[in-house]
């Protein structure tokens, strides 16, 4: 029944009667909830909605000087790695020495392994070093691919080609490539976070990798003693908790600013009692210290010390009381957002943008400062979670950032999500009716009968690359059943079309068809989704044309496009008044983006990647552009339309990669001298010089220059870049030589910069990981 008819005068009596009845019912439910709360001793807690103060963010790579109390553990592991195999190298099944590190979650096993892996002595001892994170799924094929990719990681441009090609090989071809890559090499392989207790699977993998040279070693981290015994060829290294002295130091580091603890002797004493209950687990110590950072209320500290949750027994799922307590102390808005990390698998690398899209589509982002953008609100949430030590491996490039959720924290997210969020895999036999958010991680789990008929489902997500829908009938059933869907992720599916009925999902906020390689056309009815905020057609390489009526998507904020279309419907794009992010990737027939005069007045982020025929950019119609990615556009002349500075530029972030027609930075960038904060330049083999005006970038904080071999000098005014905090130069041999500490001729220009990385392997790998993330799943 239509709303206007329902509220008409002819139905007023019916309406009043029904509403009165419903209000009574709701009141009875509230009374019952209040009674239950009193019955079980629940208390009302007033939530502080202010974002807490946080320390300055720093990169999360392992820096030996920042790790407390693991020096002796590192030396003992390195000593084990330097020892000859106890059974003699090359002896039968014992041909590779396997050293397990075992301990409970959050103890620092991975951190210790990283300390060892990055120790310079390992570079001298082993010809090849590989790091592979396994987590829950011990899939031989995927592990082989990861090992091959890791073995190639020292050559980023080759590694990407390996990774893209490996997906197309069968298991026989993969094992042949693996054995060829390892054969005769003395290698160190780290297998991080092993949960597999199937000896047959481990034996199968071990048989494939025992082809290295004498002295090869495998370092394994696991929470399980039984798995360590199964895999190890030497006794396990049982990692103990930190000493109380080291725990106190770690706690003070995270609870106070440097030296501040001297002012609060009473809190230091309470802190020692809190630390005593952490039982030496660094993650627990760090998390609780972070939760009390800049909070000098002794009652708050005593509450943490005395809270009964400390006494809960550690169960099999290993959810540390310290983490649960920190979760309970979070503001409610943050708790709601945090629970949705359980939709992603363990060890999943999140881009900030995909998490923002998820939270925004579910209505979890609330701006408290007028019209603050949801991206800024989400970044505050993520920074707060990071400051509370719930996130790790945080790489911050300004508008682009990347992180992971610690395994133990992921366990906590699953625990607090309870029955509303469910990860669906091959062992799932039943989806309860009350489940509202689904994450499908295996194709084998896509059964008609499995999915509930309840209309309560709000999210269907496919977070794993290669896992998607191939059944139109199942999609039809979802559209029919789940009419209140907010998020529908059909990425990596093999659908040939979408049903016209997609328009029935009138509440849909996010729709992804990413990497659907069979879709040639989309139904025009898709443009009736007027609540849609994000639409991804990225990787739809057979899509011939965009749907007609695109301009009707009045709520659309983010649009990712791959199409064979050569001319864009400019009027349609101009009608998208809320469009914030626009991406063109693998659009091989596009020579020009927009040639008309209509401005895209709301666009702030533009991504152009692998558009091989694109020749020029329409800067004049992008008055609010803040973020620009230009990646592998061989024909693009960035100086074509803009030979002079554009003084109205508001650009804050610029990434230029592989632009062979450019020999220097285009001069229009000078127009962003008062706003540009991040400049990333990579794989630019024709780049010969950096212009002198670069030193006028008064707000530039991050400058990364990678794989620009012809670049051999810096502007003479580099010392004037007083805001520059992070300078990385790698793959530029002559320039790196001139920037060597103390002795390089440019050292005096750059010595003041806080984070310097000149020709370091670690930085090369870090940037390669970021570039790989950008190429494979660039969502801003």
């Amino acid at each position: 029944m239509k709303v206007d008819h329902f509220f008409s005068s002819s139905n007023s009596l019916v309406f009043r009667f029904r509403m009165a009845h419903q209000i009574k019912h709701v009141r009875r439910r509230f009374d019952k909830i209040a009674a239950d709360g009193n019955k079980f001793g629940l208390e009302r807690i007033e939530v502080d909605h202010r974002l807490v103060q946080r320390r300055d963010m720093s990169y999360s790579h392992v820096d030996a000087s920042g790790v407390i109390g693991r020096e002796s553990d590192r030396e003992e592991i390195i000593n084990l790695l330097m020892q000859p195999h106890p059974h003699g190298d090359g002896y039968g099944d014992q041909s590779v020495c396997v050293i397990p590190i075992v301990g409970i979650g959050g103890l620092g096993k991975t951190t210790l392994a990283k300390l060892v892996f990055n120790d310079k002595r390992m570079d001298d001892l082993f010809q090849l070093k590989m790091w592979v994170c396994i987590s829950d799924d011990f899939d031989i094929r995927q592990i082989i691919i990861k090992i091959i990719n890791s073995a190639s990681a020292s050559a980023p441009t080759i590694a990407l080609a390996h990774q893209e090609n490996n997906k197309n090989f069968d298991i026989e071809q993969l094992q042949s490539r693996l054995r060829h890559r390892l054969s005769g090499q003395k290698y160190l392989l780290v297998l991080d976070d092993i949960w597999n207790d199937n000896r047959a699977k481990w034996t199968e993998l071990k048989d494939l990798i025992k082809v290295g040279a004498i002295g090869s070693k495998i370092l394994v981290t696991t929470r399980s003693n039984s798995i360590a015994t199964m895999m190890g060829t030497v006794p396990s290294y049982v990692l103990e908790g930190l000493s109380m002295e080291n725990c106190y130091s770690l706690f003070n580091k995270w609870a106070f600013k440097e030296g501040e603890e001297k002012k609060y002797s009473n809190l230091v004493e309470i802190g020692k009692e809190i630390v005593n209950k952490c039982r030496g687990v660094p993650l627990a110590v760090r998390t609780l210290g972070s939760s009390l950072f800049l909070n000098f209320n002794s009652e708050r500290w005593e509450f943490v010390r005395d809270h009964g949750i400390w006494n809960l027994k550690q169960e099999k799922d290993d959810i540390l009381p310290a983490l649960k307590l920190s979760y309970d102390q979070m503001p409610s808005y943050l708790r709601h957002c945090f629970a949705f990390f359980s939709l992603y698998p363990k060890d999943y690398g999140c881009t900030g943008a995909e998490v923002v899209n998820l939270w925004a589509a579910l209505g979890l982002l609330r701006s408290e400062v007028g019209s603050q953008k949801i991206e800024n609100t989400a970044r505050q949430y993520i920074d707060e979670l990071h400051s509370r030590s719930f996130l790790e491996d945080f790489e911050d490039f300004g508008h682009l950032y990347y992180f992971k959720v610690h395994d133990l924290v992921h366990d906590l997210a699953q625990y607090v999500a309870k029955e509303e969020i469910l990860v669906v895999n091959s062992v799932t036999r039943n989806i309860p009716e009350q489940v509202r958010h689904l994450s499908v991680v295996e194709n084998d789990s896509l059964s008609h009968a499995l999915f509930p008929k309840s209309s309560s489902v709000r999210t269907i997500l496919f977070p794993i690359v290669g896992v998607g829908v191939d059944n139109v009938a199942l999609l039809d059933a979802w559209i029919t059943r789940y009419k209140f869907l907010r998020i529908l992720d059909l990425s990596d599916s093999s659908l040939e079309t979408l049903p016209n009925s997609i328009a029935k999902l009138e509440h849909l906020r996010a729709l992804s068809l990413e990497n659907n390689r069979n879709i040639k056309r989309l139904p025009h009815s898709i443009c009736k989704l007027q609540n849609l905020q994000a639409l991804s057609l990225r990787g739809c390489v057979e899509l011939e044309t965009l749907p007609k009526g695109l301009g009707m998507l009045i709520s659309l904020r983010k649009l990712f496009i791959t199409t064979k279309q050569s001319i864009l419907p400019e009027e349609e794009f101009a009608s998208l008044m809320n469009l914030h992010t626009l991406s063109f990737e693998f659009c091989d027939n596009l020579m020009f983006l927009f040639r008309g005069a209509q401005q895209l007045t709301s666009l702030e982020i533009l991504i152009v990647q692998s558009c091989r025929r694109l020749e020029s950019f329409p800067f004049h119609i992008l008055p609010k552009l803040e973020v620009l990615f230009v990646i592998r556009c061989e024909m693009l002349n960035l100086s074509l339309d803009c030979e002079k500075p554009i003084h109205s530029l508001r650009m804050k972030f610029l990434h230029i990669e592989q632009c062979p027609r450019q020999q220097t930075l285009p001069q229009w960038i000078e127009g962003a001298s008062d706003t540009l904060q991040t400049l990333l330049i990579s794989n630019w083999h024709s780049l010969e010089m950096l212009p002198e005006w670069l030193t006028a970038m008064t707000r530039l904080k991050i400058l990364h220059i990678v794989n620009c071999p012809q670049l051999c000098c810096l502007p003479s005014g580099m010392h004037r870049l007083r805001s520059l905090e992070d300078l990385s130069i790698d793959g530029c041999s002559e320039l790196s030589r001139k920037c060597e500490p103390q002795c390089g001729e440019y050292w005096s220009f750059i010595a003041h910069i806080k984070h310097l990385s000149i020709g370091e392997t670690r930085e090369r790998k870090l940037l390669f990981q970021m570039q790989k993330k950008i190429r494979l799943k660039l969502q801003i």
Side-chain angles (χ1 to χ4, degrees), residues 287-437:
T287 304
L288 281 176
S290 297
S291 73
L292 293 169
F293 180 60
L294 293 186
N295 187 325
F296 306 119
N297 185 328
S298 60
E299 290 183 2
R300 189 64 170 173
W301 284 58
E302 289 168 354
F303 170 81
V304 172
R305 179 196 62 192
D306 299 333
H307 203 280
I309 200 168
W310 283 110
N311 299 318
L312 292 179
K313 182 181 178 182
Q314 282 289 294
E315 301 294 339
K316 180 181 178 183
D317 291 335
D318 241 357
I319 298 171
L320 287 177
L323 287 174
K324 181 60 172 64
L325 180 55
S326 293
Y327 167 83
D328 290 338
Q329 292 181 4
M330 284 196 292
S332 60
Y333 62 83
L334 210 55
R335 291 201 299 268
H336 294 154
C337 291
F338 170 76
F340 283 91
F341 284 129
S342 62
L343 281 170
Y344 301 104
K346 285 186 178 179
D347 200 49
Y348 184 83
C350 299
T351 61
E354 61 189 315
V355 175
V356 172
N357 291 344
L358 177 72
W359 289 347
L362 294 172
L364 300 177
L365 299 175
R366 295 286 183 267
S367 172
E368 296 185 3
V369 188
S371 58
Q372 183 182 32
K373 291 184 293 188
I374 61 171
E375 287 78 13
N376 293 342
T377 300
R379 180 60 196 257
Q380 286 180 298
Y381 288 10
I382 288 171
D383 283 348
E384 186 169 355
L385 287 168
H386 186 206
S387 73
R388 292 170 178 265
S389 303
F390 277 81
L391 308 179
E392 64 176 5
D393 291 345
F394 202 102
E395 308 297 348
D396 188 359
F397 291 83
H399 280 75
L400 175 65
Y401 52 101
Y402 168 92
F403 59 87
K404 292 182 179 180
V405 176
H406 188 281
D407 279 1
L408 200 59
V409 175
H410 188 275
D411 289 338
L412 176 63
Q414 288 181 310
Y415 176 75
V416 300
K418 296 182 179 176
E419 296 180 347
E420 283 205 354
I421 298 175
L422 182 67
V423 175
V424 182
N425 54 35
S426 57
V427 301
T428 304
R429 295 292 176 262
N430 176 56
I431 299 178
E433 291 290 321
Q434 63 268 31
V435 168
R436 295 164 63 88
H437 309 280

Side-chain angles (χ1 to χ4, degrees), residues 761-774:
T761 303
R762 175 193 58 75
E763 185 67 18
R764 178 193 293 267
K765 289 181 178 178
L766 184 156
L767 284 171
F768 168 58
Q769 289 171 355
M770 288 305 304
Q771 290 168 0
K772 180 175 68 174
K773 192 72 179 179
I774 291 168

Side-chain angles (χ1 to χ4, degrees), residues 8 10 13 43 85 232 296 307 328 403 414 445 450-451 459 469 473 545 623 704 732 780:
S8 66
S10 61
L13 291 175
E43 298 177 3
H85 194 292
F296 306 119
H307 203 280
D328 290 338
F403 59 87
Q414 288 181 310
S445 56
L450 183 63
F451 290 88
T459 304
V469 180
T545 183
H704 286 188
C732 317
I780 302 297

Side-chain angles (χ1 to χ4, degrees), residues 144-172:
I144 292 174
I145 291 173
K146 287 181 180 181
I147 294 175
I148 295 172
N149 289 338
S150 184
S152 306
S154 57
T157 54
I158 297 175
L160 178 63
H162 273 293
Q163 186 166 51
E164 292 175 343
N165 293 335
N166 288 335
K167 295 178 181 178
N168 302 321
F169 292 141
D170 60 30
I171 190 68
E172 176 63 24

Side-chain angles (χ1 to χ4, degrees), residues 384-555:
E384 186 169 355
L385 287 168
H386 186 206
S387 73
R388 292 170 178 265
S389 303
F390 277 81
L391 308 179
E392 64 176 5
D393 291 345
F394 202 102
E395 308 297 348
D396 188 359
F397 291 83
H399 280 75
L400 175 65
Y401 52 101
Y402 168 92
F403 59 87
K404 292 182 179 180
V405 176
H406 188 281
D407 279 1
L408 200 59
V409 175
H410 188 275
D411 289 338
L412 176 63
Q414 288 181 310
Y415 176 75
V416 300
K418 296 182 179 176
E419 296 180 347
E420 283 205 354
I421 298 175
L422 182 67
V423 175
V424 182
N425 54 35
S426 57
V427 301
T428 304
R429 295 292 176 262
N430 176 56
I431 299 178
E433 291 290 321
Q434 63 268 31
V435 168
R436 295 164 63 88
H437 309 280
L438 297 170
S439 177
V440 184
V441 297
E442 293 181 16
N443 283 326
D444 294 344
S445 56
L446 294 174
S447 165
H448 252 294
L450 183 63
F451 290 88
K453 296 181 180 179
S454 166
S455 62
S456 62
V457 174
R458 299 292 187 270
T459 304
I460 299 177
L461 199 67
F462 285 81
I464 303 293
V465 174
V467 179
V469 180
D470 60 1
N471 188 327
V472 177
L474 181 59
L475 177 57
D476 279 329
W478 288 348
I479 293 173
T480 301
R481 292 176 186 175
Y482 309 141
K483 58 184 178 180
F484 299 112
L485 265 179
R486 299 296 193 272
I487 299 172
L488 180 57
D489 176 10
L490 300 175
S491 58
D492 291 285
S493 298
S494 54
L495 302 169
E496 295 184 1
T497 185
L498 280 184
N500 280 311
S501 59
I502 191 74
K504 293 181 180 180
L505 299 176
E506 58 186 51
H507 300 280
L508 199 63
R509 302 295 195 272
L511 173 62
S512 175
L513 300 169
E514 189 170 311
N515 293 328
N516 274 259
R517 299 181 179 273
N518 296 331
I519 287 185
K520 294 185 177 180
R521 289 184 178 273
L522 294 171
H524 301 316
S525 63
I526 199 173
C527 297
K528 295 181 181 179
L529 298 171
Q530 295 195 354
N531 286 312
L532 197 66
Q533 298 173 2
L535 173 62
S536 178
L537 308 175
R538 179 188 180 273
C540 298
V541 292
E542 295 299 322
L543 186 64
E544 295 175 355
T545 183
L546 298 174
K548 291 182 180 179
L550 200 64
M552 295 168 57
L553 296 173
I554 57 175
S555 300

Side-chain angles (χ1 to χ4, degrees), residues 670-695:
E670 187 179 358
S673 59
D674 293 332
T675 57
L676 192 65
Q677 298 176 11
T678 301
L679 177 59
L680 309 180
I681 305 169
S682 63
N683 296 318
W684 196 343
H685 295 268
S686 60
L687 183 65
E688 297 179 352
M689 62 175 292
L690 295 176
E692 195 65 35
W693 50 255
L694 182 66
T695 63

Side-chain angles (χ1 to χ4, degrees), residues 546-584:
L546 298 174
K548 291 182 180 179
L550 200 64
M552 295 168 57
L553 296 173
I554 57 175
S555 300
L556 197 65
R557 301 188 74 255
K558 301 189 178 186
L559 177 58
F560 301 85
I561 295 172
T562 297
T563 179
K564 291 184 175 182
Q565 211 163 328
S566 59
I567 300 176
L568 297 172
E570 297 187 22
E571 291 185 1
E572 300 271 27
F573 281 89
S575 298
L576 299 173
M577 303 304 293
N578 293 305
L579 192 62
H580 172 273
T581 300
L582 180 59
S583 170
F584 296 96

Side-chain angles (χ1 to χ4, degrees), residues 5 61 90 115 214 229 261 335 455 579 634 687 709:
H5 178 66
H61 63 82
L115 284 174
I214 291 174
T229 301
E261 67 274 12
R335 291 201 299 268
S455 62
L579 192 62
E634 290 85 355
L687 183 65

